[in-house]
Amino acid sequence: MRSGFASIIHRLAPFSPRTAIDTAGEIPRPAALWSIIALTAGIFFTAVLAARAQESVEPDILPSLAEPPPASAESQPATSTEPLPALPQSLPSAPAEPLPSSAPSLPSAEEAFPTTPEPLSSSANYTTAQTNVIPAPVPAGPYGGVVGTRNVFPGAETIYSAEAGGRFHYAFGLTVRGVWDDNIFLSHTNRVSDYYFAIEPWITLGWGDMAGRSHAYFRLDYMPSIILFTDHSGEDAVNHLIHLEGGYHFGRLTLSAIQDIAILDSANLNSFVDTTGLFANVDASAQTRLNLFNTRLRAAYDLTAKVYLQAELDIPIFNYPDGISDGTVAGGLYIYYKWLPKVSVGIGGTFGYNWVEDPSTDQTFEQVNLRLLYDATAKLSIYASAGVEFRQFDGNRGDYVSPVFEVGATYHPFSGTNFTLAAGRRIYNSGYLADQDFGGTYVVGRFQQRLFRRVYLGLTAGYENDNYISTDSDVSATRNDDYWFIEPSVDVLITRWLSAGVYYLHRQDASSDDFFSFYDNQVGVRATVRF
């Protein structure tokens, strides 16, 4: 049994750097906002003029984000009219794999349904007129979780073969951002502003049938993010995002493995689908170091033409060098039934063990979940999972029963118009408050509209509620956070390989504990080149 006094002492200890920051004094920047707005406007209009002057780019090679250009008469029959998914998960012989929101792992990049009914062949040479330069929106939640979609990498990147008929595939690019941030420490009492530059190269390497998944394949994605501040060089950081994926199919059995790694040194929960910092680390509400490791293993076996089993193993680890780390090992078994040609339903359970560093308590849990997979058309796809979790604690408190769910939807009503929705709830261990967990519930909507073939308007908005619970009867957990953000953006496709854009990000946390409350504004300009 732990005393409440000891827990309070541990709670305050990790925040000494931020306390020092909050008392250091604010750096006033009265002209900063107007300067960045002027710079933003100049770059935007320059990009528009350059786009209008770009006569060498033919209209038929400027497709929408969701739909590539129409196939030519010489196209191979296996080539789909849909863009190549970035991180597909399932193989053709097995139904697409849903992502359990209720699984104890981090919100993951599992695909619940395919984005194309007829995957591109790995033998095709994709170096022709594919122009997915502007990132397409995907339904994604916190911690990089992508819900019910294959498009995990930014912009559903086109993957190229080294040569026609080759087994080796590659793609690479670079994004550079210049950002003015009026609260770099996410402080409630003292707001410090600064300019920073983000340099974000990425590369994708793969081997095998990455498109069809009908044979063995392997894929590696890597994106470092170098953050350089103008006036606070001590806050410079390098983040790393790594994704490894492999799969093998034989007979009725499909095996797949995914390893995601995120080495973060910032106040943001950046991911492949969120590089601007939509989701802040609300639990810490400050600059912090967090290392995420998420292992996901899947095995699907076809029992009949309409029934299949899926076994799951998830091992997520949250490593806080300056906080309270935790990890989970969880296994699940689900049975699915193809109710209709485009509708599958499933039911099953997950159980796991959750270990947490001292002074917090270890935990066990069990979940029962229902899942729905609805791949209506190429324009509409829906994934849903809902259930209940029963959690036990090594501390002297009773069981905790909580709903868990996840919903993901993509909708492309017209050429160049894209909507996505993601929502979910699950239980996390607090990395900074001893003997406390929190139930995180979120909803995120993304919209993108293409205008004049080269201009892309985007709008992303989201809300997250974190309700804290005690894991020991000697600790009182009263914290409740309401976090929300909104990000409008404009991007211009200048050439087939170059885009430029501007965005504005406002994010705000209203916490029952004022120490964790903050609001933050960012204005950024960016340029992206892809090969």
Side-chain angles (χ1 to χ4, degrees):
M1 180 182 300
R2 301 177 180 81
S3 66
F5 178 76
S7 299
I8 294 173
I9 293 298
H10 184 89
R11 169 181 172 176
L12 295 179
F15 291 98
S16 55
R18 176 173 172 176
T19 304
I21 292 170
D22 290 345
T23 58
E26 183 176 4
I27 299 178
R29 302 291 292 268
L33 180 59
W34 294 110
S35 299
I36 198 67
I37 290 176
L39 177 61
T40 295
I43 292 180
F44 172 68
F45 286 113
T46 300
V48 171
L49 292 175
R52 293 178 62 87
Q54 183 64 29
E55 300 296 339
S56 61
V57 178
E58 296 297 331
D60 61 351
I61 62 171
L62 293 172
S64 71
L65 295 179
E67 302 175 3
S72 65
E74 294 77 19
S75 298
Q76 296 295 327
T79 302
S80 167
T81 57
E82 297 294 326
L84 176 63
L87 288 177
Q89 169 70 14
S90 59
L91 305 174
S93 68
E97 176 188 345
L99 172 61
S101 71
S102 54
S105 64
L106 310 180
S108 68
E110 304 290 344
E111 301 76 28
F113 45 79
T115 56
T116 170
E118 189 177 342
L120 295 175
S121 169
S122 64
S123 62
N125 186 346
Y126 301 120
T127 58
T128 59
Q130 295 277 359
T131 56
N132 293 323
V133 176
I134 310 299
V138 295
Y143 301 100
V146 178
V147 184
T149 180
R150 289 184 168 196
N151 298 331
V152 175
F153 209 76
E157 308 297 347
T158 301
I159 306 301
Y160 302 102
S161 294
E163 58 182 6
R167 301 282 289 172
F168 175 71
H169 313 275
Y170 68 93
F172 56 94
L174 170 68
T175 296
V176 178
R177 295 184 291 120
V179 184
W180 178 77
D181 189 338
D182 72 353
N183 192 1
I184 62 174
F185 299 115
L186 300 185
S187 173
H188 172 65
T189 58
N190 184 52
R191 298 165 51 76
V192 177
S193 63
D194 200 356
Y195 297 90
Y196 71 86
F197 296 92
I199 304 172
E200 296 164 338
W202 59 264
I203 186 171
T204 295
L205 300 175
W207 177 89
D209 190 10
M210 293 175 56
R213 274 17 124 227
S214 58
H215 303 287
Y217 74 97
F218 175 79
R219 176 176 182 139
L220 166 66
D221 297 297
Y222 174 57
M223 175 190 287
S225 180
I226 304 169
I227 307 298
L228 303 174
F229 286 88
T230 301
D231 297 330
H232 298 79
S233 58
E235 304 302 323
D236 293 350
V238 180
N239 301 316
H240 301 272
L241 301 173
I242 303 171
H243 178 92
L244 293 170
E245 178 183 355
Y248 187 76
H249 168 74
F250 51 92
R252 295 186 175 186
L253 181 63
T254 299
L255 302 176
S256 63
I258 290 180
Q259 178 66 60
D260 285 306
I261 301 174
I263 310 298
L264 306 177
D265 186 6
S266 71
N268 305 327
L269 296 174
N270 284 2
S271 65
F272 281 119
V273 295
D274 173 18
T275 59
T276 60
L278 299 176
F279 281 98
N281 191 332
V282 178
D283 184 37
S285 294
Q287 296 273 7
T288 187
R289 290 186 296 161
L290 171 60
N291 304 321
L292 301 178
F293 305 90
N294 191 17
T295 303
R296 302 185 300 281
L297 305 177
R298 298 292 185 268
Y301 184 79
D302 294 329
L303 298 176
T304 69
K306 287 194 170 184
V307 179
Y308 70 98
L309 286 175
Q310 180 171 285
E312 306 173 352
L313 178 63
D314 296 276
I315 308 176
I317 298 175
F318 289 64
N319 174 247
Y320 281 97
D322 303 317
I324 305 172
S325 301
D326 68 85
T328 299
V329 175
L333 182 63
Y334 291 81
I335 184 169
Y336 289 88
Y337 175 69
K338 297 178 183 178
W339 184 26
L340 296 173
K342 295 186 178 181
V343 178
S344 297
V345 294
I347 186 171
T350 299
F351 61 93
Y353 184 82
N354 175 209
W355 73 90
V356 193
E357 282 187 339
D358 288 335
S360 295
T361 59
D362 293 344
Q363 305 162 29
T364 58
F365 59 89
E366 305 81 34
Q367 300 170 351
V368 179
N369 303 288
L370 293 173
R371 297 175 178 175
L372 171 67
L373 173 61
Y374 178 48
D375 191 11
T377 66
K379 293 184 176 181
L380 174 64
S381 296
I382 300 174
Y383 164 71
S385 174
V388 62
E389 177 181 285
F390 305 88
R391 186 170 288 255
Q392 302 82 38
F393 308 89
D394 287 354
N396 56 347
R397 68 148 291 167
D399 292 359
Y400 181 74
V401 181
S402 170
V404 286
F405 70 92
E406 187 167 67
V407 177
T410 61
Y411 181 46
H412 311 297
F414 313 107
S415 175
T417 302
N418 301 278
F419 296 92
T420 68
L421 175 69
R425 173 181 169 83
R426 61 153 292 181
I427 304 299
Y428 301 90
N429 306 122
S430 175
Y432 281 90
L433 303 182
D435 285 315
Q436 296 189 41
D437 290 351
F438 63 91
T441 306
Y442 68 89
V443 58
V444 183
R446 299 168 187 253
F447 166 76
Q448 189 178 73
Q449 177 64 56
R450 188 190 66 199
L451 299 174
F452 311 116
R453 296 186 177 270
R454 290 183 173 88
V455 179
Y456 293 81
L457 304 180
L459 179 64
T460 301
Y463 169 78
E464 177 184 352
N465 173 260
D466 295 332
N467 183 34
Y468 284 72
I469 62 171
S470 64
T471 63
D472 193 297
S473 61
D474 293 332
V475 176
S476 176
T478 60
R479 181 180 169 188
N480 187 82
D481 288 63
D482 292 304
Y483 172 78
W484 65 276
F485 61 83
I486 185 170
E487 183 187 71
S489 63
V490 178
D491 289 275
V492 178
L493 187 62
I494 300 175
T495 71
R496 291 182 300 175
W497 48 269
L498 176 64
S499 68
V502 298
Y503 67 91
Y504 167 74
L505 172 62
H506 176 86
R507 50 186 183 170
Q508 183 169 338
D509 181 34
S511 176
S512 58
D513 186 340
D514 287 342
F515 180 81
F516 297 98
S517 297
F518 68 87
Y519 69 93
D520 177 39
N521 296 285
Q522 297 182 27
V523 179
V525 296
R526 61 190 174 201
T528 299
V529 58
R530 286 173 170 83
F531 300 98

